[in-house]
Each structure stands twice: as C-alpha cells, then as structure tokens.
Amino acid sequence: AAEGKTRMERLLRKCRIKNMLVRECMAECLGVYVLILFGCGSAAQVITSQERNGQYLSINLGFALGVTFGVFVSRGVSGAHLNPAVTLSLCSLGRCRWIKLPFYAFFQVLGAFLAAATVALQYYDAIQMYSGGQLTVTGPTSTAGIFSTYPADYLSVWGGVIDQVIGTAALLLCILALGDQSNTFIPDHFQPLLAGASVLVIGVSMGSNSGYALNPARDFGPRVFTYIAGWGEDVFRAGGGWWWVPIVAPCIGALLGTLVYELLVEVHHPSQMSDDQNLCLEDSTRKINVGS
C-alpha cells in the first residue's frame, strides 16, 4: 500500500504545473464549473419536475451555494473571481494585472460551458420528457432557461440593462465590503459563505425581471452550449436579441458598484487617509529639497 501511494504521488508530481497563470486559470475554470453545476442543476430539477422537486427559492439556493463552494475550490489559487465583471473591477482597482483579464474571462466562460454540458447530460431524459423532444427557447415547455437567462415578457431591453447594472453593482458592493478588512474584519473561512449569501439576497430581491445573471461567463458559456446542443439560433434572437445584455450590463454595473464603494467607504478609512497624508508630506519634503 505504501509503495502504491508513493507511485501515485510520483505520478501526480509529474502532472504538476508550475506556471502560476495557468494554475490560476484552471482554478477559475473549475470554480465556475462548480458554480454552474449546482446553479443550473437546481434550475433543471425545478423546471423539468414542474416545481414538484423544488421552487424558485431552490434555484436561488443552488446558485448561492454554488458560489460558496466555487469560491472554496479556487480562492487559494486565483482569488476566486468566478466572474469576468469581478476581474474587470479588480483590474480597475489595481488589485489584478490587466494581462490576466482575457485569460481569466476565457477560462471562466469555458468552465460555465462545461458545466452546462454536464447538467444537460445528467438531465437529458428529464429535458426530453418535459419538452416533448422539442428543444425550445420560448413557450410553455421551453428549456433554454435552465442554462441561460432570458427577460420576462414585460421587460424591455433597456429595462434589462438597468436591471443588470443595478444587480451587479449591488454584488460588487457586497464583495468589496467582504474583502475590506479595514471596514469589518471577517475571518477568511466565512467570506465564501457570505459571498454566496450576497448572491442569494440579490436572487430573492432582483431575480424576477431577467434571472439575475450578474456574470457574463455564467450566461454566455451556457448560451453557447445551448446553441451548439440543439436549441439553435433562437438563444441569440429571443428577447429582442437579449444575449448581449448579460455580457455588457454586468461589466458596467461592476465598475459602478466599485466606484460607489470606493468613493463612499474605502477611500475614507483612516489608514488610507494616513497614507495619502504621508504621500503629501513626502511630496512637500521633496519640493523643499529641490528648492534648497
């Protein structure tokens, strides 16, 4: 047994990747995979069972816990962004290098795509029975909504943009507050739980308009999968060409939420003000030295 364990350890060491960016991208991919596996899996269970095995709150809990465990899976390696809009915001704050943004975003979308494929495979028979073998995007037995978000019948495209901007801004306010140790100290092991709770509260308060995507990867990866897997071009045509809204609006909302939190809270911390005062003092001293 000891020899077999040693052999397995040697084999695993040969698989070890030393490039840090590659490791971070793989962690992001797996983290988003876990998020979508539980989130879209809960949606599949509720929809295909016609709410006999869960209701709307079940989907909220599935995505919230998916975020929680996705963060646990990846945060020690990549910081668990799990969302291109979050990565964009952290890049704008200088907390993540811009060179990482396209790589993170690609692997986040890939993770969502693979998770959607897994859910479709797991629920294949249930989807076929519920839909009568017709993979549709709209109508009483539509199943595309298991994987991606679509607007309610009453919602205009620009109403959806506002909805996603507000929802994602709220998400970033919560995330930045959780990571701001100068505001409130939160033990590391509680942060993933509270990140999931923030998604839960957004879902139960802002989900009815368009399904609270809040995440370009969460929506676009599964949408591409449904396009390939048989739902066809309607996944891009439905809702008046809705597909771009969950990509663009969350990025705008994330930057807005980041700006609001920074201007109203974080920049005013005493430690930050002391740093600014020290910089001003250094500048003044430098000018005096130059003048003398």
Side-chain angles (χ1 to χ4, degrees):
E3 183 181 350
K5 181 179 179 181
T6 303
R7 192 173 301 161
M8 178 58 70
E9 288 175 347
R10 286 201 299 267
L11 179 61
L12 291 174
R13 277 199 295 269
K14 290 181 180 179
C15 297
R16 184 176 296 166
I17 294 174
K18 296 181 179 179
N19 186 288
M20 193 61 198
L21 179 59
V22 174
R23 291 172 56 200
E24 290 169 352
C25 289
M26 291 193 303
E28 285 294 309
C29 182
L30 184 59
V32 175
Y33 179 89
V34 170
L35 160 59
I36 301 303
L37 181 68
F38 292 146
C40 289
S42 63
Q45 178 169 292
V46 170
I47 291 172
T48 59
S49 70
Q50 301 181 60
E51 297 192 357
R52 290 190 298 270
N53 297 324
Q55 296 177 326
Y56 180 68
L57 183 59
S58 303
I59 300 173
N60 297 147
L61 289 170
F63 275 104
L65 292 172
V67 168
T68 295
F69 288 105
V71 171
F72 273 122
V73 163
S74 60
R75 72 190 193 116
V77 180
S78 66
H81 299 185
L82 309 185
N83 184 338
V86 172
T87 305
L88 175 64
S89 293
L90 294 178
C91 287
S92 70
L93 290 173
R95 299 175 189 175
C96 179
R97 289 187 297 155
W98 285 101
I99 189 64
K100 293 183 178 182
L101 177 58
F103 294 100
Y104 272 38
F106 174 81
F107 279 92
Q108 289 159 353
V109 171
L110 177 62
F113 178 93
L114 295 174
T118 303
V119 171
L121 177 64
Q122 185 176 19
Y123 280 92
Y124 176 81
D125 292 333
I127 290 172
Q128 291 295 316
M129 178 171 288
Y130 174 78
S131 65
Q134 300 295 318
L135 301 180
T136 57
V137 178
T138 58
T141 59
S142 62
T143 47
I146 291 172
F147 303 97
S148 296
T149 64
Y150 294 89
D153 292 338
Y154 59 81
L155 191 70
S156 67
V157 170
W158 292 110
V161 170
I162 294 171
D163 174 77
Q164 287 299 292
V165 167
I166 293 173
T168 313
L171 176 66
L172 264 293
L173 284 174
C174 296
I175 289 175
L176 292 174
L178 290 174
D180 185 2
Q181 299 300 314
S182 297
N183 187 351
T184 302
F185 175 75
I186 300 174
D188 284 348
H189 54 278
F190 282 133
Q191 291 183 14
L193 298 173
L194 294 174
S198 68
V199 172
L200 175 61
V201 73
I202 291 171
V204 299
S205 62
M206 306 182 191
S208 62
N209 278 339
S210 61
Y212 72 107
L214 313 177
N215 182 339
R218 170 264 174 277
D219 194 85
F220 187 64
R223 194 179 299 273
V224 172
F225 168 76
T226 53
Y227 171 74
I228 294 172
W231 280 264
E233 295 180 359
D234 283 348
V235 301
F236 293 106
R237 292 175 178 170
W242 167 263
W243 67 272
W244 64 270
V245 176
I247 297 175
V248 176
C251 293
I252 298 171
L255 292 174
L256 177 62
T258 299
L259 181 64
V260 169
Y261 186 80
E262 289 297 312
L263 290 180
L264 297 186
V265 178
E266 190 163 353
V267 75
H268 305 293
H269 291 328
S271 59
Q272 183 67 38
M273 293 175 70
S274 298
D275 291 341
D276 292 341
Q277 289 170 357
N278 289 335
L279 287 173
C280 290
L281 182 60
E282 290 175 4
D283 288 341
S284 299
T285 303
R286 196 177 299 113
K287 289 176 182 177
I288 291 171
N289 291 336
V290 170
S292 57

